[in-house]
Amino acid sequence: MRLIQNSAKSITLLVCTTTVALICASLAVWQYQRSQQKITIIKKLDQLSQQGVIPWYQLASLPSDWLATGLTVSLSGEVSSQFWWLDNQVVNGRFGYDLIVAVKPNNSSRWWLVNLGWFAGSLNREQLPEVSLPQQLTLTALLKVGNFTSFNLVSNDLELRQGQRLQYITPEFAASALQQPFAPYILYAQPDSALGEFHYQVINMSPDKHKAYALQWILLALAAVVIGAVMYRKGSAHE
């Protein structure tokens, strides 16, 4: 009977140790893959920076591999009276909002979502920043391309009100709510064009940091194996 109990404990220990080690090893591989992805993105950004500032109307004629997040775009156009506050934006430990506006470039049939920077928030959640928008805007901005899908507390079936606080906004969401065509991008106005504080980063974690996390997970996997082996030996010694 005792032999059966010890055997069951050994199997349980083996399963737990293997499971923990595999999970840690998987996370290490994932972090390493993320580091390689970030290296690829950085190389791409270096290539894009060599292209200089691209007028918005030339985007349609660019090769598909050039149309990527981080491209610098210039744009001039009409600013809609509609604007929104992107909620829960933290900059240097300070809470606030990003100002999102709709801009229709000259001679364009589509509107563009433009992030005009960060504004400090108030302890009173009902009090939003005050802003005065120009009727026309000329700016240089970083292009963001990709999947913008996220949760939102506002239904697409409801009209987006001016100055409304949102958890997230996408070109598709704005097009559906305002019944206007929108370009499938978001522009982040650069410091010389932003009304608020520019804080957008294409790379939010460096490849070296991902590699450090990968090493950390590998060490945890090894620690799990060592601890499991020590516990197995101690158990065997008491048999």
Side-chain angles (χ1 to χ4, degrees):
M1 185 68 179
R2 184 177 179 182
L3 181 61
I4 295 175
Q5 290 178 342
N6 289 335
S7 178
K9 289 181 180 179
S10 297
I11 293 174
T12 300
L13 178 61
L14 176 62
V15 170
C16 291
T17 301
T18 302
T19 300
V20 172
L22 286 176
I23 291 174
C24 292
S26 298
L27 290 171
V29 170
W30 177 70
Q31 286 288 353
Y32 179 77
Q33 290 174 339
R34 291 289 292 159
S35 74
Q36 298 307 299
Q37 292 171 357
K38 293 296 178 68
I39 291 173
T40 301
I41 293 173
I42 290 172
K43 289 180 179 179
K44 185 66 179 181
L45 291 174
D46 290 339
Q47 293 175 354
L48 292 175
S49 65
Q50 297 175 8
Q51 308 304 322
V53 180
I54 306 294
W56 69 269
Y57 53 82
Q58 290 185 5
L59 293 181
S61 61
L62 289 179
S64 58
D65 60 337
W66 283 16
L67 196 57
T69 295
L71 189 68
T72 305
V73 178
S74 63
L75 178 150
S76 294
E78 170 192 355
V79 179
S80 171
S81 60
Q82 293 280 0
F83 67 92
W84 310 278
W85 295 107
L86 190 60
D87 202 359
N88 297 319
Q89 302 300 301
V90 178
V91 176
N92 297 325
R94 298 172 295 162
F95 161 77
Y97 308 89
D98 278 0
L99 174 62
I100 310 295
V101 301
V103 178
K104 188 177 183 181
N106 301 328
N107 302 317
S108 174
S109 60
R110 298 189 297 182
W111 292 83
W112 290 59
L113 285 178
V114 179
N115 185 316
L116 286 180
W118 180 87
F119 291 76
S122 168
L123 293 177
N124 181 2
R125 290 281 289 166
E126 298 303 318
Q127 182 180 346
L128 293 171
E130 295 183 1
V131 64
S132 178
L133 295 178
Q135 295 181 342
Q136 294 286 324
L137 195 62
T138 297
L139 57 85
T140 56
L142 291 180
L143 184 72
K144 183 175 182 180
V145 181
N147 182 12
F148 306 105
T149 303
S150 184
F151 72 94
N152 204 310
L153 299 182
V154 179
S155 167
N156 280 16
D157 297 329
L158 299 177
E159 181 181 1
L160 288 178
R161 299 186 302 276
Q162 178 172 307
Q164 189 168 2
R165 183 171 57 226
L166 301 173
Q167 300 303 310
Y168 208 86
I169 189 168
T170 70
E172 295 80 10
F173 186 93
S176 174
L178 300 183
Q179 295 299 300
Q180 295 289 341
F182 272 77
Y185 318 111
I186 293 181
L187 293 178
Y188 288 79
Q190 292 192 318
D192 58 345
S193 304
L195 297 183
E197 182 176 340
F198 176 83
H199 67 96
Y200 177 64
Q201 293 181 328
V202 179
I203 301 293
N204 53 15
M205 186 181 292
S206 69
D208 288 341
K209 198 165 187 178
H210 280 292
K211 290 178 180 178
Y213 281 131
L215 178 60
Q216 182 182 51
W217 285 115
I218 284 292
L219 293 176
L220 287 174
L222 292 174
V225 172
V226 171
I227 292 172
V230 170
M231 292 179 66
Y232 177 79
R233 289 185 178 182
K234 285 184 177 180
S236 299
H238 290 115
E239 291 182 4

Short mmCIF file of all heavy atoms in Angstrom, two decimals, residues 21 23-25 27-31 212-222:
data_model
loop_
_atom_site.label_atom_id
_atom_site.label_comp_id
_atom_site.label_asym_id
_atom_site.label_seq_id
_atom_site.Cartn_x
_atom_site.Cartn_y
_atom_site.Cartn_z
N ALA A 21 7.61 23.34 -16.14
CA ALA A 21 8.80 23.54 -16.99
C ALA A 21 8.39 23.82 -18.43
O ALA A 21 8.96 24.69 -19.09
CB ALA A 21 9.70 22.31 -16.93
N ILE A 23 5.49 25.09 -19.50
CA ILE A 23 4.87 26.41 -19.58
C ILE A 23 5.94 27.50 -19.61
O ILE A 23 5.89 28.43 -20.43
CB ILE A 23 3.90 26.62 -18.40
CG1 ILE A 23 2.68 25.71 -18.54
CG2 ILE A 23 3.47 28.09 -18.32
CD1 ILE A 23 1.75 25.75 -17.34
N CYS A 24 6.92 27.41 -18.71
CA CYS A 24 7.99 28.41 -18.67
C CYS A 24 8.80 28.40 -19.96
O CYS A 24 9.16 29.46 -20.49
CB CYS A 24 8.90 28.15 -17.47
SG CYS A 24 8.12 28.45 -15.86
N ALA A 25 9.09 27.20 -20.48
CA ALA A 25 9.85 27.10 -21.73
C ALA A 25 9.07 27.69 -22.89
O ALA A 25 9.64 28.37 -23.77
CB ALA A 25 10.19 25.64 -22.01
N LEU A 27 6.82 30.08 -22.74
CA LEU A 27 6.85 31.54 -22.59
C LEU A 27 8.21 32.10 -23.00
O LEU A 27 8.29 33.20 -23.57
CB LEU A 27 6.53 31.92 -21.15
CG LEU A 27 5.07 31.68 -20.72
CD1 LEU A 27 4.91 31.88 -19.23
CD2 LEU A 27 4.15 32.62 -21.49
N ALA A 28 9.27 31.36 -22.73
CA ALA A 28 10.61 31.79 -23.15
C ALA A 28 10.70 31.85 -24.68
O ALA A 28 11.22 32.81 -25.25
CB ALA A 28 11.67 30.85 -22.59
N VAL A 29 10.17 30.82 -25.34
CA VAL A 29 10.18 30.79 -26.80
C VAL A 29 9.35 31.94 -27.36
O VAL A 29 9.75 32.62 -28.31
CB VAL A 29 9.63 29.44 -27.32
CG1 VAL A 29 9.40 29.49 -28.82
CG2 VAL A 29 10.58 28.31 -26.97
N TRP A 30 8.19 32.19 -26.74
CA TRP A 30 7.32 33.28 -27.19
C TRP A 30 8.02 34.63 -27.07
O TRP A 30 7.95 35.46 -27.99
CB TRP A 30 6.02 33.27 -26.39
CG TRP A 30 5.11 34.41 -26.73
CD1 TRP A 30 4.40 34.58 -27.89
CD2 TRP A 30 4.83 35.55 -25.91
NE1 TRP A 30 3.68 35.76 -27.84
CE2 TRP A 30 3.93 36.38 -26.64
CE3 TRP A 30 5.23 35.94 -24.65
CZ2 TRP A 30 3.44 37.57 -26.13
CZ3 TRP A 30 4.75 37.14 -24.14
CH2 TRP A 30 3.86 37.94 -24.87
N GLN A 31 8.69 34.86 -25.93
CA GLN A 31 9.39 36.12 -25.74
C GLN A 31 10.54 36.27 -26.75
O GLN A 31 10.78 37.36 -27.28
CB GLN A 31 9.94 36.22 -24.32
CG GLN A 31 8.89 36.49 -23.26
CD GLN A 31 8.34 37.90 -23.32
OE1 GLN A 31 8.82 38.75 -24.06
NE2 GLN A 31 7.32 38.16 -22.54
N ALA A 212 15.58 39.40 -22.44
CA ALA A 212 15.79 39.27 -20.99
C ALA A 212 14.65 38.48 -20.35
O ALA A 212 14.88 37.63 -19.48
CB ALA A 212 15.89 40.66 -20.35
N TYR A 213 13.42 38.75 -20.81
CA TYR A 213 12.27 37.99 -20.29
C TYR A 213 12.38 36.53 -20.71
O TYR A 213 12.02 35.62 -19.94
CB TYR A 213 10.97 38.58 -20.80
CG TYR A 213 10.52 39.82 -20.05
CD1 TYR A 213 10.13 40.96 -20.73
CD2 TYR A 213 10.48 39.83 -18.66
CE1 TYR A 213 9.73 42.10 -20.04
CE2 TYR A 213 10.08 40.96 -17.97
CZ TYR A 213 9.70 42.09 -18.66
OH TYR A 213 9.30 43.21 -17.97
N ALA A 214 12.84 36.27 -21.94
CA ALA A 214 13.02 34.89 -22.40
C ALA A 214 14.01 34.15 -21.51
O ALA A 214 13.78 33.00 -21.11
CB ALA A 214 13.49 34.88 -23.86
N LEU A 215 15.13 34.81 -21.19
CA LEU A 215 16.13 34.20 -20.31
C LEU A 215 15.54 33.94 -18.92
O LEU A 215 15.80 32.88 -18.31
CB LEU A 215 17.35 35.13 -20.19
CG LEU A 215 18.47 34.66 -19.26
CD1 LEU A 215 19.03 33.31 -19.70
CD2 LEU A 215 19.58 35.71 -19.19
N GLN A 216 14.74 34.86 -18.46
CA GLN A 216 14.11 34.70 -17.15
C GLN A 216 13.21 33.47 -17.12
O GLN A 216 13.25 32.68 -16.16
CB GLN A 216 13.29 35.96 -16.82
CG GLN A 216 12.63 35.94 -15.47
CD GLN A 216 11.80 37.19 -15.24
OE1 GLN A 216 10.97 37.56 -16.06
NE2 GLN A 216 12.03 37.86 -14.13
N TRP A 217 12.42 33.28 -18.17
CA TRP A 217 11.52 32.11 -18.22
C TRP A 217 12.31 30.81 -18.35
O TRP A 217 11.93 29.78 -17.78
CB TRP A 217 10.53 32.26 -19.37
CG TRP A 217 9.43 33.23 -19.11
CD1 TRP A 217 9.19 34.41 -19.77
CD2 TRP A 217 8.42 33.14 -18.10
NE1 TRP A 217 8.11 35.05 -19.23
CE2 TRP A 217 7.61 34.28 -18.20
CE3 TRP A 217 8.15 32.19 -17.11
CZ2 TRP A 217 6.53 34.50 -17.35
CZ3 TRP A 217 7.06 32.41 -16.26
CH2 TRP A 217 6.27 33.55 -16.40
N ILE A 218 13.43 30.82 -19.09
CA ILE A 218 14.27 29.62 -19.19
C ILE A 218 14.84 29.24 -17.83
O ILE A 218 14.86 28.06 -17.44
CB ILE A 218 15.41 29.85 -20.21
CG1 ILE A 218 14.87 29.76 -21.64
CG2 ILE A 218 16.53 28.84 -20.02
CD1 ILE A 218 14.43 28.37 -22.04
N LEU A 219 15.30 30.25 -17.08
CA LEU A 219 15.85 29.99 -15.75
C LEU A 219 14.77 29.45 -14.82
O LEU A 219 15.04 28.56 -13.98
CB LEU A 219 16.45 31.28 -15.18
CG LEU A 219 17.71 31.79 -15.91
CD1 LEU A 219 18.15 33.12 -15.32
CD2 LEU A 219 18.84 30.76 -15.83
N LEU A 220 13.55 29.95 -14.95
CA LEU A 220 12.46 29.43 -14.12
C LEU A 220 12.14 27.99 -14.49
O LEU A 220 11.82 27.17 -13.61
CB LEU A 220 11.21 30.31 -14.30
CG LEU A 220 11.27 31.70 -13.63
CD1 LEU A 220 10.06 32.52 -14.01
CD2 LEU A 220 11.35 31.54 -12.11
N ALA A 221 12.21 27.67 -15.79
CA ALA A 221 11.99 26.28 -16.22
C ALA A 221 13.05 25.37 -15.63
O ALA A 221 12.74 24.27 -15.13
CB ALA A 221 12.00 26.20 -17.75
N LEU A 222 14.31 25.79 -15.67
CA LEU A 222 15.39 24.99 -15.09
C LEU A 222 15.22 24.85 -13.58
O LEU A 222 15.47 23.78 -13.01
CB LEU A 222 16.74 25.64 -15.41
CG LEU A 222 17.16 25.62 -16.89
CD1 LEU A 222 18.44 26.42 -17.09
CD2 LEU A 222 17.35 24.19 -17.38
#
